[in-house]
Amino acid sequence: MDEERWTKAHLARYIAEHGIAAELVTPLHETPSVTAAAAAMGCAPEQIIKSLVFLIDGRPYLVIANGDTPVSYRRLAAHFGISRKRVRMASPDEVIALTGYPAGGVPPFGLRTPLPVLMSPSVLAQEVVYGGGGDERTLVRITPTELQRVTQPILVVVTEEAGAVLEDA
């Protein structure tokens, strides 16, 4: 498999070619964490989204969730009706091989390998969100409605949010 790292230029081209209403932004300050990214963008932490690659029963999935809440392996396993032991996060090398992008910069779309997407419904509660923009210094700004249109996700509660009781929506 081609292990070439993709860049924000690949993502910018994908956005343009597919007519996606999104923009790449480069904050003035480092964004190594959700808290730092939120501070750099002047937004709430729940507006920062993470795009994580999970191997669920051996198949890769992109999981999109608000950056301030941990993804629940238990909830992912329950959604698929499998044991928690059959859910694992992809390794950094697997992330690059599957997406083209390094962990920490994975965008929610425009990946080397199109992956099925699971998205937390709480992402849709935001007016605008910021996700990985292809590298550790760039973010993509997009509305949740446009994100949903582009990714065509399965909406499923994937985090340990307080009071969350639905397994899928």
Side-chain angles (χ1 to χ4, degrees), residues 50-54 61-65 71 89-90 95 104 106 115:
K50 53 191 168 194
S51 301
L52 304 171
V53 178
F54 278 85
Y61 287 84
L62 188 69
V63 176
I64 300 173
V71 171
M89 190 175 291
V95 170
V106 176
L115 299 176

Side-chain angles (χ1 to χ4, degrees), residues 4-158:
E4 172 201 4
R5 282 189 182 211
W6 284 14
T7 66
K8 64 183 178 183
H10 289 91
L11 183 58
R13 189 167 40 254
Y14 186 89
I15 289 169
E17 289 173 358
H18 291 85
I20 299 169
E23 67 175 315
L24 296 180
V25 294
T26 305
L28 295 176
H29 304 287
E30 295 283 327
T31 58
S33 68
V34 169
T35 304
M41 296 313 300
C43 69
E46 55 269 14
Q47 288 179 270
I48 305 299
I49 58 169
K50 53 191 168 194
S51 301
L52 304 171
V53 178
F54 278 85
L55 294 170
I56 302 171
D57 211 17
R59 288 192 57 214
Y61 287 84
L62 188 69
V63 176
I64 300 173
N66 302 87
D68 61 342
T69 53
V71 171
S72 167
Y73 289 66
R74 181 184 56 79
R75 286 187 184 273
L76 289 172
H79 174 74
F80 287 95
I82 60 173
S83 157
R84 153 62 188 98
K85 293 177 181 177
R86 299 187 76 158
V87 176
R88 72 173 176 88
M89 190 175 291
S91 71
D93 287 342
E94 289 169 326
V95 170
I96 290 173
L98 289 165
T99 71
Y101 300 99
V106 176
F109 50 79
L111 309 179
R112 178 193 322 263
T113 305
L115 299 176
V117 176
L118 303 174
M119 185 165 71
S120 176
S122 59
V123 171
L124 299 176
Q126 308 306 312
E127 189 172 316
V128 66
V129 293
Y130 298 88
D135 62 35
E136 299 82 8
R137 297 266 316 141
T138 308
L139 297 171
V140 62
R141 181 182 193 275
I142 190 168
T143 66
T145 302
E146 181 71 348
L147 179 61
Q148 187 175 24
R149 181 190 73 79
V150 173
T151 62
Q152 296 293 299
I154 296 168
L155 295 178
V156 59
V157 177
V158 296

